[in-house]
Amino acid sequence: MKNENLYNYILGIADNSLILGQRLGEITGHGPSLETDIACTNISLDLFGQVRSYFQYAGKIAGDGRSEDDIAMLRKERDYKNVLLVEQPNTNFAFTIGRQFLFDVYHLAFLGELQKSTDLTLSAIANKCIKEVSYHERFSSDWIKRLGDGTEESNAKMQEAINDLWRYTDELFHQTDADKAMVAEGIGVDVTTLKDAYYTRLNEVLGEATLEVPQLKYFQKGGKNGIHTEYMGYILAELQYMQRAYPNMEW
Amino acid sequence: MSEEQIRSLERQFDERISRDEKIEPKDWMPEKYRQTHIRQISQHAHSEIVGMLPEGNWISRAPSLRRKVALLAKVQDEAGHGLYLYSACETLGVSRDELYQQLHSGKAKYSSIFNYPALTWADMGAVGWLVDGAAIINQVPLCNTSYGPYARAMIRVCKEESFHQRQGFEIMLKLANGTPEQKDMAQDALNRWWWPSLMMLGPTDDKSVHTEQSMKWKLKRKTNDELRQQFIDQTVPQADVLGLTIPDPDLKWNEERQSYDFGAIDWDEFWQVVKGHGPMNKERMKARVGAWENGEWVRDAAMVHAEKKRTRKEKQAV
């Protein structure tokens, strides 16, 4: 492939939306209220819409006729580049919201920078996505506050989710080789520069939510290099089932 | 109020209905009219909500991103329909929590069709094509029903349902024109959903207890059997377009009636499902009750948080 770094770079962005969208889609119809069900389904829908834009572009760059579905559903587990955070399970609503919030804050800041990309397609996609993601961030940060500053029980559950998921935040700011190459070309976002503002925003919202900011020194990583948690295989088993069981068909 | 006054109000009410005037929430209405509407609108709302489950079941496994996005949008629409319908129902003086209570205790019903399992991807096509198709036949007349809030909710619901039905047909068309394996999948889904879809239009006219009253109030314009015939006459040619076979050996065009004759419906199965003993009744209720119970702490937190916010605001104002 002529432009392998760009291809991998796009996958690194889109796989996050793909796997997070898949996780949110699992809980449709099972949420605590009709309103939250609609919202989570809506966010999932937005994320899959984003995935399609990215993968259609990646397909063009690959230039060998691979489709958005080939890219989404026919890779092996070790080839997915999403961060570990987004593959974490919907343990309860606090975990769903915690995962969403910890990702949305990053995602919003990331897209703000990607809009400035010298790659016009990526910049246009970012421009479309940022509107959706600012809505996601409002939804998830509002719920962090409701659950944190709600009842004693909801506060405990929200705190537990934040404590548990915190170890996956640092990975958001790691650079892959594709990242570095794309930053050098003015196409990619230097994620290391987003880190301080990210944790500042987290502190602000958690403070308002009367939650404690975890003082954790040990973080997890690996997703960006295809080394995932054990949850990933099961996610892919469902995501890929039809494409694997009925190869080369149109739907 | 004296009996004579009530009779006079009832007469005026009946006249308004016969003039095709809409009844609005603050208008006087007979208690039976209110109760019938609470029953029907809430059953309709419950059906939307329970109906999210068989389709939601395929979101994570949809075969392509395009289909996944369409399915998510459809299930989201259904949740939205549930929301409008619960709101319409609340205008009759009942709360959404009470309505959920009725659903969870088994007192209120939902459409029998959602007690069948969605086993293959083709079921997403068959449900859209047949189930939404039958629902539209039932629902289009409701856009003109006498109770204003219900009629207005239905206008929006029907637009989206027609879109879902076309999407469902498109899924079937793709399968029917696909590989032999895909075509078999489509035929199998049609075989399993055909009879339950016919049952969706309700028991035969001689067994339907609410029909006469519902026709008077314009909740119904045609009887169950008339609607069923309309559904069959419209759907059989669509099956022909797909090149699929309706699983009814007695199905035959009747030149004289200009309609299809069709075979006997298994009403024992229908009543078994309605009484709670269909293939998925227990799982559907367990999922709904489970979501409600597991979500209680979340709803409590939202209430307490809103209260805290209000108190803080009041203190600031002082």
Side-chain angles (χ1 to χ4, degrees):
Chain A
M1 199 185 303
K2 209 172 69 193
N3 214 335
E4 197 153 358
N5 278 326
L6 179 56
Y7 180 82
N8 284 327
Y9 184 68
I10 296 169
L11 265 48
I13 302 169
D15 282 350
N16 289 328
S17 295
L18 176 67
I19 301 302
L20 186 56
Q22 186 74 4
R23 275 299 193 206
L24 287 170
E26 290 170 11
I27 51 173
T28 295
H30 304 278
S33 69
L34 205 42
E35 288 81 353
T36 49
D37 249 6
I38 293 176
C40 289
T41 308
N42 191 46
I43 294 172
S44 175
L45 183 57
D46 285 344
L47 292 170
F48 280 113
Q50 298 173 5
V51 169
R52 295 189 66 194
S53 305
Y54 286 122
F55 284 173
Q56 282 165 13
Y57 183 40
K60 256 188 223 157
I61 288 162
D64 55 3
R66 70 184 84 175
S67 70
E68 58 181 51
D69 292 320
D70 296 337
I71 301 173
M73 301 188 190
L74 292 178
R75 279 179 287 152
K76 302 273 169 29
E77 178 173 340
R78 290 280 280 104
D79 300 322
Y80 283 83
K81 302 174 195 306
N82 57 283
V83 291
L84 300 177
L85 175 66
V86 295
E87 68 199 49
Q88 299 310 305
N90 299 304
T91 308
N92 61 33
F93 193 65
F95 276 78
T96 300
I97 288 299
R99 182 186 64 207
Q100 195 63 38
F101 170 67
L102 295 175
F103 184 72
D104 288 342
V105 174
Y106 161 80
H107 200 190
L108 190 58
F110 175 82
L111 291 171
E113 290 303 306
L114 191 65
Q115 279 182 309
K116 302 173 196 160
S117 173
T118 56
D119 182 303
L120 294 181
T121 308
L122 280 184
S123 148
I125 295 173
N127 200 31
K128 181 199 113 187
C129 297
I130 200 165
K131 292 178 198 126
E132 297 167 347
V133 173
S134 65
Y135 157 73
H136 304 170
E137 202 258 0
R138 204 171 71 212
F139 172 80
S140 61
S141 59
D142 279 353
W143 270 104
I144 293 279
K145 291 175 205 164
R146 277 190 202 107
L147 297 179
D149 188 22
T151 63
E152 216 172 289
E153 184 187 9
S154 70
N155 176 278
K157 286 196 155 95
M158 197 62 249
Q159 187 71 59
E160 188 202 357
I162 291 291
N163 291 351
D164 214 51
L165 293 167
W166 198 263
R167 64 197 147 133
Y168 300 114
T169 54
D170 189 64
E171 190 192 7
L172 292 164
F173 309 100
H174 294 194
Q175 282 188 313
T176 62
D177 292 340
D179 276 15
K180 286 175 193 158
M182 288 300 103
V183 171
E185 285 187 39
I187 291 173
V189 175
D190 180 355
V191 286
T192 60
T193 63
L194 306 176
K195 190 169 175 172
D196 289 345
Y198 175 80
Y199 284 104
T200 304
R201 173 72 180 149
L202 260 46
N203 281 333
E204 181 186 297
V205 174
L206 295 182
E208 247 191 275
T210 69
L211 292 164
E212 279 171 32
V213 178
Q215 299 301 313
L216 194 73
K217 290 192 189 70
Y218 301 102
F219 292 94
Q220 301 299 319
K221 62 178 182 206
K224 286 186 174 182
N225 293 314
I227 300 169
H228 293 277
T229 60
E230 289 180 354
Y231 297 117
M232 192 65 178
Y234 292 92
I235 297 176
L236 296 182
E238 290 192 22
L239 176 73
Q240 300 186 341
Y241 162 63
M242 289 294 291
Q243 289 278 341
R244 298 288 183 192
Y246 303 91
N248 303 316
M249 296 183 201
E250 280 186 43
W251 302 96
Chain B
M1 226 182 292
S2 75
E3 270 188 43
E4 199 181 325
Q5 279 173 308
I6 292 180
R7 268 199 300 278
S8 151
L9 282 169
E10 279 177 354
R11 202 166 42 245
Q12 287 170 34
F13 179 85
D14 289 344
E15 282 164 11
R16 289 187 64 189
I17 295 211
S18 59
R19 285 196 302 267
D20 266 337
E21 276 177 38
K22 292 278 178 267
I23 307 300
E24 296 299 335
K26 286 184 175 163
D27 296 342
W28 184 88
M29 62 187 81
E31 192 50 27
K32 200 171 163 217
Y33 180 90
R34 182 189 305 277
Q35 292 306 332
T36 299
H37 276 79
I38 289 175
R39 184 177 52 81
Q40 175 156 344
I41 301 171
S42 69
Q43 276 185 14
H44 191 166
H46 297 329
S47 301
E48 298 283 354
I49 302 311
V50 178
M52 293 167 72
L53 298 169
E55 293 182 307
N57 172 46
W58 274 91
I59 289 173
S60 66
R61 292 174 292 166
S64 71
L65 291 175
R66 178 170 166 259
R67 292 294 180 202
K68 195 190 284 277
V69 164
L71 186 59
L72 278 161
K74 180 181 179 188
V75 179
Q76 193 191 355
D77 282 349
E78 276 155 11
H81 296 171
L83 210 51
Y84 322 140
L85 290 163
Y86 284 125
S87 303
C89 205
E90 284 183 312
T91 64
L92 292 161
V94 58
S95 73
R96 211 205 296 182
D97 282 6
E98 284 175 80
L99 297 172
Y100 280 147
Q101 193 53 45
Q102 292 172 1
L103 173 68
H104 298 159
S105 68
K107 190 183 164 221
K109 300 270 182 270
Y110 55 88
S111 180
S112 59
I113 195 84
F114 300 120
N115 293 311
Y116 289 88
L119 300 177
T120 70
W121 171 252
D123 290 32
M124 297 301 100
V127 166
W129 172 40
L130 300 173
V131 174
D132 293 333
I136 291 165
I137 295 255
N138 255 332
Q139 292 173 5
V140 164
L142 290 170
C143 296
N144 288 314
T145 191
S146 59
Y147 189 56
Y150 193 25
R152 288 189 289 273
M154 289 317 298
I155 290 171
R156 189 150 167 201
V157 169
C158 283
K159 274 186 202 151
E160 290 176 349
E161 291 292 359
S162 312
F163 180 66
H164 299 161
Q165 201 231 356
R166 280 204 300 279
Q167 257 177 6
F169 185 77
E170 200 214 308
I171 290 175
M172 292 301 273
L173 193 62
K174 201 82 183 174
L175 295 173
N177 292 329
T179 64
E181 221 177 343
Q182 283 175 305
K183 192 168 178 181
D184 285 350
M185 195 193 280
Q187 181 65 56
D188 171 61
L190 171 56
N191 294 349
R192 284 180 290 108
W193 289 93
W194 174 253
W195 293 105
S197 300
L198 297 189
M199 293 177 199
M200 269 180 82
L201 295 148
T204 50
D205 293 348
D206 53 327
K207 297 269 183 347
S208 173
V209 286
H210 302 297
T211 296
E212 196 188 329
Q213 186 65 76
S214 296
M215 290 198 116
K216 203 175 120 199
W217 287 333
K218 299 183 176 169
L219 257 172
K220 254 196 172 150
R221 306 264 166 168
K222 287 181 184 169
T223 70
N224 292 350
D225 287 333
E226 285 168 342
L227 292 171
R228 192 163 14 247
Q229 186 69 60
Q230 186 186 332
F231 175 70
I232 292 169
D233 290 347
Q234 136 188 340
T235 309
V236 172
Q238 294 170 356
D240 291 342
V241 170
L242 293 171
L244 299 177
T245 311
I246 302 277
D248 178 359
D250 296 327
L251 186 81
K252 216 176 93 200
W253 177 250
N254 183 324
E255 192 58 43
E256 202 178 318
R257 286 201 307 122
Q258 288 292 301
S259 240
Y260 282 93
D261 292 335
F262 56 97
I265 292 173
D266 181 353
W267 291 110
D268 289 342
E269 178 182 316
F270 174 76
W271 291 113
Q272 181 175 337
V273 176
V274 169
K275 286 176 182 157
H277 306 286
M280 296 296 282
N281 296 59
K282 292 206 166 36
E283 286 78 1
R284 299 294 184 237
M285 282 324 289
K286 206 172 147 193
R288 281 320 308 159
V289 173
W292 184 249
E293 286 175 353
N294 290 333
E296 191 177 359
W297 69 272
V298 176
R299 297 189 303 275
D300 288 348
M303 295 290 281
V304 170
H305 179 75
E307 184 61 32
K308 282 182 184 173
K309 245 177 121 172
R310 210 187 52 195
T311 316
R312 278 198 290 265
K313 214 175 178 180
E314 275 168 11
K315 270 191 191 148
Q316 267 180 1
V318 171

